[in-house]
Amino acid sequence: MLGYRHAFHAGNFADVHKHAILVQLLLALGRKDKPFCVIDTHAGAGSYDLASAPAQKNREYEGGIGRLWTGPEPRPESGPELTAYLDLVRALNADGRLRRYPGSPRLARALLRPGDRLILVERHPADHPMLEAEFAGDRQVAVHFKDGYRAPETFMPPPERRGLVLMDPAFEIKGEFQRLLDALQRIHRRWATGMVAVWYPIGEREQSSRFHKALKTLGIPATLCTELGLLPYNNPNRLCGSGMVILNSPWQIDLALRRMLPELLERLRIGGRGQTRVDWLVEAR
Ligand code: SAM
């Protein structure tokens, strides 16, 4: 039985890091005319009511999107990358009061063009029906109840041959890093040019270093590591930082993220602490 429900964590600092990057990746895909396909292997419920009991339990969103929220208007000094993400959150909260937070499916849907497609996979028996309801009748979106780690065999390569796979598991099962690495190999074998974004939690530095080392061994071109940390990386039982690795990264995304992450840190940090990282684990060919 899966215990994790994203509704408890929606809009926290890790979501902000992950989603602000996701928006940049989708915008990069949209710069070419050819259609693209997005495959979200661990999709969650789609979007979240921040007034709901789960979201209110620890009010994690207050330390994330809550710190960036300025009402109906963007902060004039926000850079273009952060503004693009905040505009999409604002679109769900048009009256200027922060009540709903878009998950990765809602953000991806907002940036599809008429010929693009979105495939959503979710295996939680309660979140899957919510996801289905969120996109009922939407012909550009397909929702599946299955194991996200089987997505490579089922959906890849998509006929469009252009697109993005988002892998954002719950990390509630031991061995999740290894499952991700196995899946990345299978994706790359089937769809060598597909862009893949993988989220991971940072508790202590040693675990993410092992993950990075294994990613280097895979040797998938343009593998970019991005991290946003609010606490020192020395507590395996806490979410001290948020990591996102991008494989087959779009051209010059590193420059955009080097502008955006320090700005994010500035808005999210507590007491002047924190760190960001954007560097290549494997260079582009
Ligand atoms: N990607 C979502 C977002 O950004 O809005 C959040 C996803 S949440 C971190 C992880 C989700 O993976 C949970 O909804 C959980 O139910 C789901 N999940 C866990 N194991 C899964 C599996 N093997 N296949 C598909 N979904 C799974």
Side-chain angles (χ1 to χ4, degrees):
M1 182 64 192
L2 300 173
Y4 181 95
R5 303 291 306 278
H6 197 64
F8 288 89
H9 312 288
N12 69 5
F13 83 93
D15 256 10
V16 170
H17 170 237
K18 173 199 319 175
H19 292 153
I21 294 176
L22 175 66
V23 166
Q24 288 304 303
L25 300 179
L26 292 160
L27 289 172
L29 281 168
R31 281 190 196 109
K32 281 194 187 150
D33 284 342
K34 283 180 70 181
F36 64 80
C37 176
V38 179
I39 303 169
D40 190 340
T41 61
H42 297 71
S47 71
Y48 301 90
D49 177 0
L50 295 178
S52 69
Q56 286 296 317
K57 182 150 188 259
N58 295 319
R59 302 169 75 94
E60 288 188 28
Y61 66 89
E62 287 184 346
I65 186 63
R67 286 182 186 256
L68 275 71
W69 190 250
T70 51
E73 299 298 332
R75 254 176 52 162
E77 68 273 26
S78 286
E81 293 85 13
L82 209 47
T83 301
Y85 157 69
L86 287 172
D87 280 349
L88 295 177
V89 183
R90 217 171 276 117
L92 270 192
N93 296 281
D95 65 358
R97 291 179 58 194
L98 179 62
R99 277 187 270 213
R100 243 190 134 69
Y101 186 75
S104 52
R106 202 18 88 202
L107 290 167
R109 179 64 185 94
L111 294 173
L112 294 189
R113 301 156 308 169
D116 302 327
R117 286 190 308 131
L118 174 60
I119 296 173
L120 302 173
V121 183
E122 170 56 50
R123 210 184 58 173
H124 197 287
D127 281 342
H128 172 261
M130 293 169 85
L131 189 62
E132 266 195 329
E134 175 99 16
F135 295 103
D138 190 330
R139 295 164 66 109
Q140 285 178 258
V141 184
V143 180
H144 297 267
F145 181 69
K146 64 190 289 142
D147 180 1
Y149 286 109
R150 304 317 309 168
E153 287 68 33
T154 318
F155 304 114
M156 297 174 212
E160 295 86 349
R161 302 266 169 171
R162 287 190 75 227
L164 166 68
V165 183
L166 172 64
M167 302 197 80
D168 180 21
F171 285 88
E172 61 181 337
I173 297 167
K174 225 173 152 231
E176 200 91 68
F177 280 102
Q178 191 54 50
R179 293 186 86 195
L180 280 170
L181 289 162
D182 293 344
L184 289 174
Q185 268 180 309
R186 287 184 284 118
I187 293 171
H188 191 61
R189 240 179 269 135
R190 305 179 76 88
W191 186 19
T193 56
M195 193 194 303
V196 188
V198 180
W199 182 84
Y200 59 96
I202 309 173
E204 40 99 30
R205 168 53 57 216
E206 190 50 39
Q207 188 171 51
S208 19
S209 298
R210 278 198 300 273
F211 184 48
H212 297 159
K213 211 168 150 197
L215 283 164
K216 283 185 191 174
T217 316
L218 293 186
I220 298 174
T223 296
L224 187 70
C225 169
T226 86
E227 294 184 348
L228 174 76
L230 299 188
L231 298 171
Y233 297 159
N234 59 13
N235 187 343
N237 302 315
R238 252 192 112 163
L239 188 64
C240 302
S242 165
M244 182 100 130
V245 166
I246 308 153
L247 302 94
N248 281 319
S249 303
W251 189 62
Q252 292 196 334
I253 193 76
D254 53 326
L255 305 183
L257 300 187
R258 283 195 183 110
R259 282 192 297 268
M260 184 177 80
L261 260 58
E263 189 187 349
L264 259 184
L265 178 63
E266 208 40 56
R267 310 265 292 261
L268 294 170
R269 74 196 323 175
I270 316 149
R273 284 185 296 191
Q275 56 189 301
T276 63
R277 169 178 177 173
V278 178
D279 60 14
W280 295 106
L281 298 178
V282 183
E283 298 272 348
R285 279 197 193 121

